[in-house]
Amino acid sequence: MSPKRKLVRKIQKISQKLCNNSSPIMKEQSLWLLRCFLITRRQSDWINAGFVLPTVVMVSLVVVLLTTAILFRSFERSKNASNVRVNEAVLNAASPALERAKAKIDQLFKDPRLPRSTPSDFSLTQVIGENISEFTFGDETPLKVVKDFNSTSGIQDEETLNTAWKYPVDTDNNGKLDSYTLYGIYFRTPTSNRPRNPLEARTQPMDEGATGGKCQSDVATSADLVGSQGWYKVGSKLKRSLFIYTATVPITDTTGLGNNYEKFSGNKGFVALEYQQDRERIPLNNNAVLYENDLEIAPGFGININGRIFTNGNLLTRQSGTAASNTIRYYLVSSPKS
């Protein structure tokens, strides 16, 4: 037993004896003194009472909140990583459509059924529209895009677009086709008397010389539109813009499809791409000589030619005799001696 407790026991015994042998007044006073002594002795313990429980509760609360925040952040990072992978997959699936469309554009402008002059919107639409099977790959399905913008009865020809296709793709590389890639070629140009619609080229062709930050006078505008052919006068050339739009969408219903199709599983993503290609033509008035077949220049008394010579065949040039007057001279338009 500690010395303090022994002291308390002795005080209690002495106080008991005093209480038993004293008057009631003395008993009350002795009890009051004893109570004050005990309270004074335990006061130091009461000062620290109630400190441990709030501290433990506060520390526990901080730990729980911190753990919850870490778990929430971990789930968000995992979700973001999954979305990035899905976006990359659908982007890789949509990108090959651009190459398909560019190959079809090259085939269209090389088609012998186009007029030898600068082809118009009507000529391009007629060639690709009437021979759509020649511009469709084996796994593709032709589509028709319709947009009613005239608010008239029935759908007009200019409110339909036939240069659109779709083909199935496998985005997760499991051997099952789970998405469709859709793409279209937009090349029609409106006349200046109405705004553009969603089935036409979105903007005019770009000007390579307008990259200096200053507005130049030869940037293509609607006023530079050459007739109704869809070509713009940009500098010394004729240009037209062609747009390709492509997107990959997931398959949500396999009804009527083969066994090699499946519903898209996992996070669904959507990526749309826009590609602009400008085609250009050099006007015929930029050529001093324009010839379809083999061209032979062999004058008997000499000749001076100012400007460019164009021929779809061979160019043969010679002079007759040795006299200076029989010399053939070619000059650039910008030459001082031109």
Side-chain angles (χ1 to χ4, degrees):
M1 186 178 293
S2 62
K4 290 184 178 181
R5 286 190 173 276
K6 289 181 180 180
L7 179 60
V8 171
R9 289 290 180 86
K10 287 182 181 181
I11 293 174
Q12 287 178 350
K13 289 179 180 181
I14 294 171
S15 61
Q16 259 182 343
K17 289 180 182 181
L18 290 173
C19 289
N20 294 333
N21 299 329
S22 61
S23 63
I25 297 174
M26 291 294 295
K27 289 181 181 180
E28 291 179 3
Q29 291 181 353
S30 61
L31 291 174
W32 180 79
L33 290 172
L34 181 60
R35 193 178 296 113
C36 291
F37 174 76
L38 293 176
I39 291 174
T40 305
R41 176 183 172 273
R42 298 177 62 86
Q43 187 176 3
S44 59
D45 295 336
W46 291 358
I47 293 175
N48 297 326
F51 175 75
V52 177
L53 181 60
T55 303
V56 173
V57 172
M58 183 63 67
V59 173
S60 302
L61 183 62
V62 171
V63 172
V64 170
L65 291 177
L66 184 61
T67 305
T68 305
I70 292 175
L71 289 175
F72 181 76
R73 182 63 176 172
S74 177
F75 289 146
E76 286 295 320
R77 293 285 295 176
S78 176
K79 185 178 179 180
N80 291 339
S82 177
N83 292 336
V84 169
R85 289 194 297 268
V86 171
N87 289 338
E88 289 180 353
V90 294
L91 181 62
N92 293 334
S95 298
L98 298 179
E99 300 300 325
R100 295 190 180 206
K102 288 191 288 186
K104 293 180 180 181
I105 292 174
D106 293 338
Q107 180 185 355
L108 175 61
F109 278 89
K110 294 178 182 178
D111 197 294
R113 287 164 293 197
L114 285 177
R116 295 186 178 182
S117 59
T118 303
S120 62
D121 284 345
F122 176 78
S123 300
L124 295 173
T125 304
Q126 186 179 31
V127 169
I128 195 172
E130 295 179 355
N131 307 278
I132 193 64
S133 59
E134 300 180 14
F135 293 87
T136 303
F137 293 109
D139 60 342
E140 293 182 347
T141 303
L143 302 175
K144 178 181 288 186
V145 184
V146 179
K147 173 62 176 178
D148 184 7
F149 57 87
N150 285 336
S151 300
T152 58
S153 59
I155 301 299
Q156 308 299 323
D157 291 339
E158 59 183 0
E159 296 176 340
T160 60
L161 179 72
N162 296 325
T163 55
W165 298 266
K166 73 172 183 178
Y167 62 92
V169 293
D170 177 18
T171 58
D172 53 5
N173 296 323
N174 65 345
K176 297 284 187 177
L177 303 172
D178 54 18
S179 300
Y180 278 113
T181 296
L182 300 93
Y183 71 97
I185 303 174
Y186 299 72
F187 57 83
R188 292 191 311 210
T189 301
T191 56
S192 58
N193 57 357
R194 65 172 179 85
R196 294 175 182 267
N197 65 71
L199 303 182
E200 297 170 334
R202 186 174 63 84
T203 185
Q204 296 89 350
M206 300 176 62
D207 181 21
E208 298 86 349
T211 59
K214 296 182 179 179
C215 295
Q216 298 188 6
S217 58
D218 57 352
V219 178
T221 62
S222 59
D224 298 322
L225 187 62
V226 180
S228 60
Q229 297 183 354
W231 296 84
Y232 290 85
K233 186 72 165 53
V234 181
S236 60
K237 301 178 182 178
L238 296 178
K239 287 188 176 184
R240 74 175 307 139
S241 58
L242 299 94
F243 281 83
I244 303 170
Y245 294 99
T246 175
T248 299
V249 296
I251 295 177
T252 57
D253 186 8
T254 58
T255 304
L257 301 178
N259 296 327
N260 57 336
Y261 288 83
E262 67 175 358
K263 291 183 179 180
F264 186 87
S265 59
N267 294 339
K268 296 180 181 179
F270 178 84
V271 173
L273 301 178
E274 178 189 78
Y275 175 82
Q276 178 181 357
Q277 183 182 102
D278 291 345
R279 291 277 173 159
E280 64 180 29
R281 288 285 188 273
I282 299 176
L284 298 181
N285 55 7
N286 283 1
N287 299 300
V289 177
L290 181 68
Y291 205 71
E292 181 65 26
N293 299 313
D294 293 343
L295 174 63
E296 180 181 6
I297 302 177
F301 299 98
I303 187 174
N304 296 335
I305 300 179
N306 297 36
R308 181 166 47 193
I309 299 175
F310 177 84
T311 174
N312 286 327
N314 298 317
L315 174 62
L316 307 175
T317 177
R318 63 186 178 88
Q319 66 179 14
S320 300
T322 58
S325 59
N326 296 336
T327 303
I328 302 176
R329 295 181 176 86
Y330 299 96
Y331 296 99
L332 295 175
V333 176
S334 59
S335 173
K337 297 182 179 181
S338 175

